[in-house]
Every structure is written in structure tokens, then in C-alpha cells.
Amino acid sequence: MEITELTAAERRVWEAFPLGRTVDFCEHDGESAEPGAGWGPERTVRGEVLRWLLLSGPRQDGEVPVLRVTGARITGRLNLHYAEVAGPIHLWACYFDEVPDLYGAQLRQLYLGRSVLPGLHATALRVDGSLRMTGCRVRGPVRLGGARISGAVFFDGAHVGEEGVTYPEPVLALNRVTIDDDFQAGGGFRADGQVRLSGSVISGNVTFDDAVFHNPGGTALDAATLSCGSDLHAMRVRSHGRVRLRGARIPGQLNFAYARLSHPDGVALHASSLAAGELWFRGAAPVEGAVNLRRTQLDLLHIAPETWPDEVLLSGLTYGTLNPHEPPARRLQALERDGDGYVPYAYEQLTSAYRRIGDDAAARTVQLAKERRHRATLAWYARAWGHLQDVTVGYGFRPTRAAVWLLSLLLVGAVTYAVREPAALKREESPEFNPLFYTLDLLLPIVDFGQEKAYASQGAYQWFGYALVVLGWTLATTIAAGVTRAISRQ
């Protein structure tokens, strides 16, 4: 390409390139690229000119060539398909008429901040430095699947996709990418359509703070099997659509503090088989849609009872610490909403969490609730026996009930037989009658004070004595079964 074929605007870029200087076409600082379709030839550069400069443009001894252009309209396609570009590319606040093609390209650095693009085709892209799309407005899909970025990736403040448009593919495809630093898409980032990070490996932090994922009725964020080096921050995130974190590996903190997750007709958060250090929902709004945490492993789970939705799936969920500390009655509400029905493991996990902080009373309450929930799954005769254990000793977790029952029966029996003393079987050989110990002889099968053998009631009092014997045997058996069950769990 000859310099005589260039426009005045292109000649400015041509002359600045070998010196690494910036060509700024903006009329004022901070000018938006949104009206770029109407920019005239005085700030228009052809994509083929940029390609030629990057691949075989002029060089100057002692200088590093860098493409630095701000506020230009780029017409035609910027085609760097499989190209190897040695110098950095900075196209700041530019307006692209056509989708840039960077498929398989190898770049040193790519900055497209605050630019407006109809899309970006950069599958299998390789960047030795950072990829920055801060504040970009991309109206169509961004394809970065399989990319390898040695530096950080910035989509903070960017807007990808168009509201109301249905896309057959993700609007931001970052599946199976490898990023050797952080990935940032917070600070007002918005995606109208699916964002896909499935299978990606990010060595640093992932940040979605204040982001909006908008794909009602579908998957808004797909980060299944994502692996990140430390934390995934999604504070104050707004998601209208499913969030998938199935099988993700997040050794640090997964933070949904003050977030709003909404997918009313399905699963709002699908995080089964997730492995994370901490999962935070501090101050988060009640989730609209189901939450699936089956087989998830956490060191700490921070969630208020009111944040849980009407349906949860908690089978196999393991956590070490549960915050904030709440009465068991509030925590048990979530377990009663489990879509899998009665899940014993969920009760055991909650019991363990209370025991770790020394709240044994709360742990016993959870175990009692577990037995009552289990009772509903049994045959009628087993349910009847369960009701008896519940009323008498609370399945062994309410031992004071046994003392109350025994004392009540003892008091009633002692008063009854004090009023109507039973007849002695052998007056000359019988010990002096004592209504208290006579009642104890009837109630306690392993106790013998000699009263029951020496005296016998008649008529209705005899039947009353039989009732005390039956109640005593039943109560003793129930206490033994309940206490044994309680001790076996310690």
C-alpha cells in the first residue's frame, strides 16, 4: 500500500505508528463513540489500512511501533485472522462498522476500551499481555472461546448484547479460556444474553460486582466447571436467568452479598458439586427460583434463613460453619422445603454446625425435628411408636419429659393409694404400707420395695394398678430406646 493511497486521517495514523504515538480524533475529552456512524472522513480509517500497518507497516530504529488511535471510525473489516502482531493495539473509543476478525490471532496486547462494535470474533485468540474492553458497547456476540490471555481481562463497565434480542449463542463466549491473571466484569457490566465461562481456568480473581446478567427464561451466567485461583466476587449482582456454577472450583470466597438472583420458573442457582472455601449471601434478597447445592462442599456458608427460596436441593451439601447464628426453628424451614423430600444428611450437617459452636440445645432440637420428619415416612404402627417416643421423651432429646411423666404418675398413684389403701395379702407378714413406694413398685419394672408383693388392690383400683404397670413398662422402654439413640449420636 502506497502512502499516496491514504486519506488525511489515515496518513496521521501511518506517521504516528512507528513512533508509538497516539492519534486522537476526539473533539473533547471523554467523547462517546456511540454516534460514530455519523463521523466523516476526517476521522475515518479503513480496517485494511490498520491491518497493513500491523503486519508490515513502517518501522523506525530505536522506536517500538504501537497502534494508538482514539475516537476513529473504522470502516470495513479489521481482519487479523491467524495474524501474528508484534506491537500492542490500542483502539480507544473507536466505532467499528464491521465485526473485527481476530480468529487465531497472536497479539501482544489488545485495548478496545470504550469502543462500539457490532461484535467480536476472537476464538482461539492468543494475547501475551492484557485484553481490555472496559466500557465497550458490543451489540452482538463476543466470541473468545478457547482464548489464552497471559495478562488480565477487563470487561468492567461494558455492555454486551441487545435487550429483547434472542441470540442462538452466548453473547459473551469465554468458555475454555485460560487467563493467567484476573478477570474483571464488574462496575456496571451488563450482558443481554448468556455469558459463558464454562470450563475456563482463571489464575486470579473473578469479579462481577454490580454486574447485570439479563437472559430471562434461560441461562444468564454459565460458569460450570470454572476453576479460579482465588475468589469469585458477585456482590450486588443482578441476574435475571439461571446462574450455573456446577462443578466449579473456587478455593477462596464465592460472594453473592446483596445480590438478586431470579429465575422463577426454574433453578435460579445451580451449584451442585461446587467446591468453594466460603459461600456468602450476606444481605442478599430472597432467591426467586430453586437453589441446587447437591454435593457441594464448603468450609463456610453464610446465608440468612429468609434468603432461601421456596424450593432447595441440599442432598449431600457439606459445610463446616453456618453463619449467621440463628435459632434452629428458622434454619429448619429450609430443610423442610427440600425438593428431594426427607434428606437425613441435611439434618446431620445442621446438627454438626450447632455442635461446633457449642450450642447443644439447638443441636438436639434439630435431631428431634429429624426424627419427626422421618416419622412421616414410616408405616402406621411405626408412626404410632414414634409418636409415643416423641410425647414421652422427645426421642431421647428431651430427657426432662421422662422425669415429668414419672413424677406425675408417681404423684397420682401415691395420692390414689393413700386414699384407698389396698388389702394386705398376709397381714401378719406384710410390711407397713407406703403408698409412694407401692406406686414405685408398680411403675418401675426393675425396682422391688416389697410393697407390690404384699398388697393387692380390688376392683377399679386394681385396674388402675394394671395401668400403672403398663405405663411404667412402656415409659421405661421408650426412655431406654430414646437415650440409647441419643448416646449413639454423640
Side-chain angles (χ1 to χ4, degrees):
M1 180 173 291
E2 300 293 336
I3 192 170
T4 55
E5 301 174 6
L6 303 178
T7 65
E10 293 169 345
R11 188 173 293 109
R12 289 180 60 188
V13 177
W14 174 288
E15 294 171 351
F17 173 75
L19 302 176
R21 295 175 179 171
T22 300
V23 178
D24 189 350
F25 293 103
C26 292
E27 296 178 353
H28 56 81
D29 291 341
E31 183 182 9
S32 172
E34 288 284 354
W39 291 341
E42 71 282 358
R43 54 192 305 183
T44 298
V45 178
R46 289 170 291 171
E48 61 179 312
V49 173
L50 298 181
R51 170 187 165 85
W52 189 90
L53 274 175
L54 291 169
L55 298 183
S56 56
R59 301 292 190 269
Q60 184 165 322
D61 292 341
E63 301 291 342
V64 178
V66 181
L67 180 61
R68 300 180 188 271
V69 179
T70 301
R73 177 185 178 185
I74 299 174
T75 59
R77 184 182 298 277
L78 175 57
N79 185 358
L80 296 177
H81 192 99
Y82 286 121
E84 294 185 21
V85 179
I89 301 174
H90 293 188
L91 297 173
W92 204 259
C94 292
Y95 185 95
F96 290 79
D97 282 358
E98 297 186 24
V99 177
D101 186 355
L102 309 181
Y103 183 94
Q106 297 185 37
L107 311 179
R108 183 173 179 181
Q109 193 176 70
L110 179 61
Y111 282 11
L112 299 174
R114 293 181 46 228
S115 293
V116 176
L117 306 90
L120 178 62
H121 187 195
T123 303
L125 174 70
R126 298 292 184 269
V127 181
D128 293 335
S130 299
L131 168 61
R132 184 177 292 273
M133 298 191 68
T134 300
C136 278
R137 179 66 181 98
V138 189
R139 305 188 190 281
V142 175
R143 303 182 183 96
L144 281 164
R148 176 66 188 261
I149 315 296
S150 298
V153 175
F154 301 90
F155 274 84
D156 44 310
H159 183 182
V160 183
E162 296 276 12
E163 186 174 358
V165 177
T166 301
Y167 297 93
E169 59 181 313
V171 293
L172 179 53
L174 288 159
N175 48 300
R176 298 184 305 281
V177 303
T178 301
I179 301 173
D180 294 339
D181 205 322
D182 294 343
F183 174 79
Q184 297 187 21
F189 171 82
R190 178 185 176 100
D192 286 294
Q194 183 185 134
V195 174
R196 181 175 293 173
L197 273 165
S198 56
S200 295
V201 178
I202 300 173
S203 298
N205 293 320
V206 177
T207 301
F208 290 121
D209 290 345
D210 300 296
V212 175
F213 300 97
H214 190 78
N215 193 27
T219 298
L221 173 61
D222 184 357
T225 67
L226 167 70
S227 177
C228 70
S230 184
D231 301 336
L232 192 159
H233 295 287
M235 297 179 62
R236 298 172 299 277
V237 75
R238 302 292 184 268
S239 175
H240 305 278
R242 183 185 303 107
V243 174
R244 296 184 72 237
L245 287 163
R246 179 186 56 80
R249 296 293 180 266
I250 303 169
Q253 187 180 87
L254 173 56
N255 195 336
F256 284 105
Y258 310 104
R260 288 183 176 273
L261 306 182
S262 177
H263 187 49
D265 297 328
V267 178
L269 176 61
H270 185 182
S272 62
S273 301
L274 166 74
E278 302 175 0
L279 175 55
W280 286 75
F281 284 95
R282 180 195 296 273
V287 179
E288 299 177 8
V291 170
N292 183 348
L293 293 178
R294 290 188 181 119
R295 302 174 301 282
T296 288
Q297 298 181 19
L298 307 168
D299 295 328
L300 179 145
L301 173 60
H302 186 110
I303 184 169
E306 58 269 17
T307 302
W308 291 111
D310 293 336
E311 181 181 359
V312 296
L313 299 166
L314 305 178
S315 178
L317 168 63
T318 302
Y319 50 87
T321 303
L322 179 62
N323 286 336
H325 183 67
E326 293 279 353
R330 283 171 51 78
R331 289 294 183 191
L332 287 166
Q333 296 173 4
L335 275 56
E336 294 166 358
R337 303 171 193 164
D338 201 307
D340 292 328
Y342 169 60
V343 180
Y345 189 75
Y347 289 87
E348 293 299 329
Q349 280 294 293
L350 184 55
T351 298
S352 298
Y354 279 121
R355 283 178 177 159
R356 286 190 186 95
I357 60 174
D359 195 342
D360 292 331
R364 289 193 297 270
T365 299
V366 175
Q367 285 292 292
L368 178 58
K370 175 190 172 185
E371 295 296 340
R372 288 171 173 169
R373 185 82 182 276
H374 179 234
R375 184 174 68 210
T377 67
L378 303 175
W380 68 269
Y381 51 86
R383 290 199 301 272
W385 174 245
H387 277 293
L388 182 59
Q389 292 187 75
D390 192 357
V391 171
T392 53
V393 294
Y395 285 98
F397 301 107
R398 295 290 185 266
T400 55
R401 289 186 183 178
V404 172
W405 277 102
L406 283 173
L407 288 174
S408 299
L409 291 173
L410 180 61
L411 178 62
V412 172
V415 171
T416 299
Y417 290 117
V419 174
R420 182 66 178 267
E421 182 177 325
L425 297 178
K426 295 180 179 180
R427 175 63 62 181
E428 63 281 0
E429 299 179 5
S430 300
E432 183 180 352
F433 179 73
N434 187 305
L436 178 64
F437 288 100
Y438 180 75
T439 305
L440 282 173
D441 266 350
L442 294 174
L443 282 174
L444 303 179
I446 61 173
V447 175
D448 185 3
F449 292 103
Q451 294 284 316
E452 183 184 4
K453 296 177 180 178
Y455 294 90
S457 300
Q458 303 294 325
Y461 292 92
Q462 184 178 26
W463 286 103
F464 177 68
Y466 292 156
L468 288 178
V469 171
V470 172
L471 289 173
W473 271 97
T474 303
L475 184 60
T477 304
T478 305
I479 292 172
V483 172
T484 300
R485 181 183 296 111
I487 293 175
S488 68
R489 290 189 174 92
Q490 300 300 320

